Amino acid sequence: MQSPPAAEPPGAENTDRVFNTLRALRRSFIRVGVLVAACSVAGYYLAEPVLRHLRDMTGVKLAAYGIPETFFTFLTVALAIGVFASFPYILYSILDGIRPLFPAFSPRMMRGFWLASVALFYAGVLFCLNLSLPYGVEFLLDFEGPYIEAIISVEKFAGFCLVFVFGFGILFELPLAMMLLGRIGVVKRQALARNRRYAILVITIVSAVVTPTPDAFNLAMMGVPLYLLFELGLVGMRFYKAA
């Protein structure tokens, strides 16, 4: 007489799900790496025009303080261009990879989150390039005097610009992060709504850290959009019937 199949131990299904998710994410990261590398190769030919545009936009005088500095700066900018161009696929791979871990995160919702995330990321980048970065650098350059002329290292200038461009892009993902965390039950909309004053404090601190200048104008230029994004996140959490 054939014996019945042995029952799976408790938690085995969840363990298999996590293992399969990690394996799928590993394959996705390999494809992401190949795509970023290919886009970075193409981005190398755009690195000089991009740096020239940033220099003209901010009015900074650039200098190279080492023989290989300009070359390595071009490589850094090329990698940033590769990540920037590959961001939609990177985000889709991450969302598609973690979706099996959260049954409430349906394929339709995942596609909606992906489209909104891509749009908000590039909106944050455009906001930084057109408002925060040029005005912030102009404010800092105003500290030049008759005996001081700012001649910035090309490497430090590129790093400064890239940090703020990607930082603003990621910060603009705030409402979607709130909606996702609310949907999977990590945070509650009611708790966030009751603690708006703490949210305003955190937004002010983050804006003071992220913005390139300490003046009130640039602080408000970052803090006000972030607070509006926070309120948009609360509306989105209600729309998706988050906890």
Side-chain angles (χ1 to χ4, degrees), residues 6-235:
E8 291 187 355
E13 183 179 351
N14 291 334
T15 302
D16 291 341
R17 183 185 302 172
V18 172
F19 178 76
N20 292 333
T21 299
L22 293 176
R23 187 165 54 184
L25 283 173
R26 184 187 64 179
R27 291 194 297 266
S28 296
F29 288 153
I30 293 174
R31 292 193 293 268
V32 165
V34 172
L35 179 61
V36 170
C39 292
S40 297
V41 171
Y44 181 81
Y45 298 95
L46 298 174
E48 184 178 359
V50 167
L51 270 177
R52 187 166 57 246
H53 174 71
L54 291 173
R55 181 204 62 188
D56 296 341
M57 181 180 64
T58 56
V60 172
K61 297 179 181 179
L62 298 179
Y65 295 105
I67 294 176
E69 181 175 343
T70 303
F71 172 70
F72 286 119
T73 302
F74 283 175
L75 292 181
T76 302
V77 175
L79 178 61
I81 292 173
V83 174
F84 184 80
S86 307
F87 181 78
Y89 182 75
I90 295 172
L91 188 61
Y92 184 87
S93 299
I94 294 174
L95 290 176
D96 187 56
I98 67 174
R99 186 179 59 81
L101 295 177
F102 307 103
F105 200 42
S106 65
R108 181 180 178 183
M109 184 182 297
M110 189 270 291
R111 289 191 293 269
F113 267 78
W114 174 72
L115 288 173
S117 297
V118 171
L120 284 174
F121 176 80
Y122 289 125
V125 169
L126 289 175
F127 180 87
C128 179
L129 290 175
N130 290 297
L131 290 175
S132 182
L133 187 62
Y135 285 110
V137 173
E138 180 182 359
F139 175 85
L140 293 176
L141 291 178
D142 284 341
F143 286 97
E144 290 182 275
Y147 305 105
I148 301 175
E149 182 180 8
I151 302 177
I152 311 300
S153 163
V154 63
E155 180 183 8
K156 292 183 177 180
F157 174 74
F160 179 87
C161 292
L162 292 178
V163 166
F164 286 105
V165 165
F166 280 95
F168 273 69
I170 293 172
L171 284 176
F172 268 57
E173 304 284 355
L174 175 62
L176 294 178
M178 292 170 58
M179 292 164 63
L180 178 59
L181 293 175
R183 183 70 180 184
I184 63 180
V186 175
V187 297
K188 296 181 180 296
R189 181 183 61 82
Q190 293 84 352
L192 291 176
R194 285 196 306 267
N195 294 281
R196 277 186 173 88
R197 60 186 181 275
Y198 297 112
I200 295 174
L201 176 61
V202 172
I203 287 172
T204 303
I205 295 174
V206 171
S207 300
V209 172
V210 171
T211 49
T213 64
D215 62 296
F217 176 74
N218 279 280
L219 182 65
M221 198 161 53
M222 184 63 206
V224 171
L226 268 183
Y227 179 74
L228 294 178
L229 289 170
F230 172 78
E231 292 292 340
L232 181 62
L234 291 178
V235 174

